[in-house]
Amino acid sequence: MYTLLRRVLGCLAALLVTAPLAWADANHYVNVLVGERAAGMAGAYTAVSDDASGMFYNPAGISFARETSLSASMNAYRLVRDEYDGRVLGGQGWERTSSSLLPNYFGLTHPLGHGVLGFSYAVPDSVSTDQDQVFENLPSSIPGVTVDRHRINFNEQDTLYLFGPSYGLALGPQVSVGLTLYAHRRTTEFILSQMVELSDGRFQLSSRYLDVDEWGVRPLVGIMVSPTDRVALGFTVARTWVLHSDARSQVTLKPHDTNEVFEEVLDAGDHRRYPYEVRFGVAVFPNQNWLVSADAVYDSATRDPAFGDRRVTWNGAVGVEYYWSPAWAVRAGVFSDRANTPDVRDGGTDQMEHVDRYGASLSLTRFRRGASLTFGVIYARGKGEAQLVGGSTDIQDVTETSITAFLAASYRN
């Protein structure tokens, strides 16, 4: 899709002011934390995973959930704001906001044979943007002519869905293994319309449309070892393979110096290449009230001429859980979400955005008769660089902030 979008930009090179190019956040691997307990602990869950949300983090852990368990993050609202400095359109800055409200996790486990069988549904990434902006009194490339008004209408919907079965099996009192086999689906719709009104009465219109539908599989294999009663270790390996992908882009352009309308349609079936993800976690249970866990996450580099190369990333998370009574628990954590894109270099053009993010989570849970209800918030912030104007060597400083509020419930019988 990256190459396809840049080819589209080439078609729009005649624009007096090139519009910012934006698409869903494939530049990070920790976009939305899922799971009731795991999200409150900042995703540091690889060595815990003993409830239904463990199917997403480490299916080996669900072998210890010998009762029926149901977990659902019923609603998660996420708001993201990106602020770019004043070198975008005529020296003016630009701000992009996106939001999404959706159920981002559902999981059910039940003992079967010597192990535990489960099914889960997760939405680990979702972007929804609907933005209208007007810029006035901008310079143009035509001598003696300025841009009176530049209108930008931008809409983007991009969501990643994972769903499938899991099975966890205890090989003994201290070792368990597990497998989750997710179906992978990603849908993207991108619409950008612009109107440029010149001071001499002429105008230019353009519209750009991109639609992508992607299907694949994501197997996740995990192991958990408990060398002592108070320490657990977790290890997982996962990767997504895209089996089918359809992408169509349509560009329509009416230049300022003619009444002709030009149109180009591009079709592509390139398969996005996802990295191997390796997670290692350790959990310590000092007593019956406290839990401390930590995760280290490695994502391999990918060589992908269609969607852009990605470099190796390392991320980490640390979470704590404290029961101050049998009816109440509080969870908190910190995490990193470093960009998988190369650093933005001086003198380059059309480079992908690079923003390293860091965040924290906090949640409160109420227990009653085998059920629990959790409310939590997740905050992340990062700074980096981007190039929004196609073909230009200008680099913009970026500040990104996001906040997620989630309400989750679980039940064990």
Side-chain angles (χ1 to χ4, degrees):
M1 183 169 65
Y2 180 74
T3 298
L4 181 62
L5 285 170
R6 288 306 180 189
R7 288 171 63 191
V8 170
L9 274 182
C11 300
L12 295 176
L15 283 178
L16 300 173
V17 181
T18 305
L21 174 65
W23 56 87
D25 192 357
N27 300 338
H28 300 87
Y29 296 127
V30 189
N31 289 308
V32 179
L33 298 174
V34 303
E36 176 193 21
R37 192 178 175 197
M41 298 173 66
Y45 213 58
T46 303
V48 184
S49 296
D50 58 354
D51 59 10
S53 60
M55 292 180 283
F56 180 84
Y57 292 93
N58 186 352
I62 67 172
S63 64
F64 301 109
R66 297 303 301 175
E67 68 275 3
T68 298
S69 174
L70 173 68
S71 176
S73 295
M74 296 178 293
N75 284 290
Y77 177 76
R78 183 171 185 245
L79 177 65
V80 181
R81 182 175 66 181
D82 294 280
E83 297 176 272
Y84 301 87
D85 72 1
R87 296 196 301 271
V88 181
L89 289 172
Q92 299 187 33
W94 190 62
E95 182 178 304
R96 183 179 64 160
T97 59
S98 67
S99 62
S100 57
L101 175 63
L102 72 166
N104 79 326
Y105 191 79
F106 170 86
L108 175 67
T109 63
H110 184 75
L112 180 67
H114 296 290
V116 175
L117 179 68
F119 181 88
S120 60
Y121 162 89
V123 182
D125 190 8
S126 182
V127 172
S128 178
T129 304
D130 188 2
Q131 192 163 338
D132 297 332
Q133 287 183 290
V134 178
F135 297 85
E136 297 182 333
N137 301 319
L138 304 176
S140 80
S141 58
I142 304 175
V145 178
T146 60
V147 175
D148 285 346
R149 191 172 291 106
H150 187 157
R151 300 179 183 271
I152 300 176
N153 300 316
F154 174 60
N155 181 274
E156 179 188 27
Q157 308 292 326
D158 191 305
T159 305
L160 171 61
Y161 306 92
L162 299 173
F163 53 94
S166 301
Y167 190 73
L169 178 66
L171 302 180
Q174 295 178 313
V175 180
S176 64
V177 295
L179 170 67
T180 294
L181 184 59
Y182 276 133
H184 162 105
R185 190 187 185 198
R186 185 165 198 161
T187 60
T188 303
E189 186 177 53
F190 174 100
I191 303 172
L192 175 63
S193 299
Q194 300 178 83
M195 181 173 182
V196 179
E197 301 175 29
L198 303 178
S199 58
D200 62 3
R202 292 180 293 174
F203 66 93
Q204 179 166 297
L205 297 173
S206 71
S207 68
R208 191 169 9 142
Y209 173 77
L210 175 69
D211 181 77
V212 180
D213 192 4
E214 178 180 284
W215 282 91
V217 294
R218 179 178 174 82
L220 167 64
V221 179
I223 184 171
M224 189 170 290
V225 179
S226 300
T228 73
D229 292 340
R230 297 190 181 278
V231 177
L233 306 175
F235 178 82
T236 65
V237 178
R239 190 190 179 192
T240 298
W241 279 271
V242 176
L243 304 178
H244 176 78
S245 179
D246 281 328
R248 165 162 287 204
S249 176
Q250 179 174 320
V251 176
T252 303
L253 173 65
K254 185 267 170 197
H256 69 279
D257 54 358
T258 179
N259 288 324
E260 284 191 80
V261 177
F262 303 92
E263 182 176 271
E264 182 171 354
V265 177
L266 302 174
D267 291 304
D270 299 306
H271 291 185
R272 188 196 310 265
R273 297 177 184 175
Y274 286 88
Y276 284 97
E277 181 185 86
V278 180
R279 303 178 69 102
F280 175 77
V282 57
V284 180
F285 304 82
N287 55 51
Q288 64 180 4
N289 295 329
W290 280 95
L291 163 63
V292 181
S293 66
D295 274 18
V297 185
Y298 164 85
D299 288 279
S300 66
T302 59
R303 296 285 296 173
D304 193 337
F307 290 84
D309 295 340
R310 308 291 168 168
R311 70 180 188 181
V312 168
T313 62
W314 283 94
N315 284 299
V318 177
V320 296
E321 178 182 67
Y322 174 67
Y323 285 80
W324 75 70
S325 76
W328 292 94
V330 62
R331 303 181 183 102
V334 294
F335 65 94
S336 68
D337 187 13
R338 302 178 66 212
N340 56 38
T341 53
D343 293 329
V344 178
R345 307 182 315 275
D346 290 337
T349 62
D350 300 334
Q351 299 176 79
M352 291 184 286
E353 184 173 293
H354 183 93
V355 178
D356 290 329
R357 304 187 297 214
Y358 301 89
S361 62
L362 179 66
S363 69
L364 180 66
T365 300
R366 174 76 162 96
F367 299 92
R368 182 178 174 83
R369 296 177 183 176
S372 66
L373 183 65
T374 297
F375 174 76
V377 292
I378 304 166
Y379 176 82
R381 180 180 175 86
K383 291 187 176 182
E385 295 179 320
Q387 284 190 316
L388 293 181
V389 181
S392 171
T393 59
D394 287 345
I395 297 175
Q396 294 81 39
D397 293 325
V398 188
T399 300
E400 180 181 301
T401 57
S402 70
I403 186 166
T404 303
F406 65 92
L407 180 66
S410 65
Y411 173 77
R412 291 191 178 193
N413 183 18

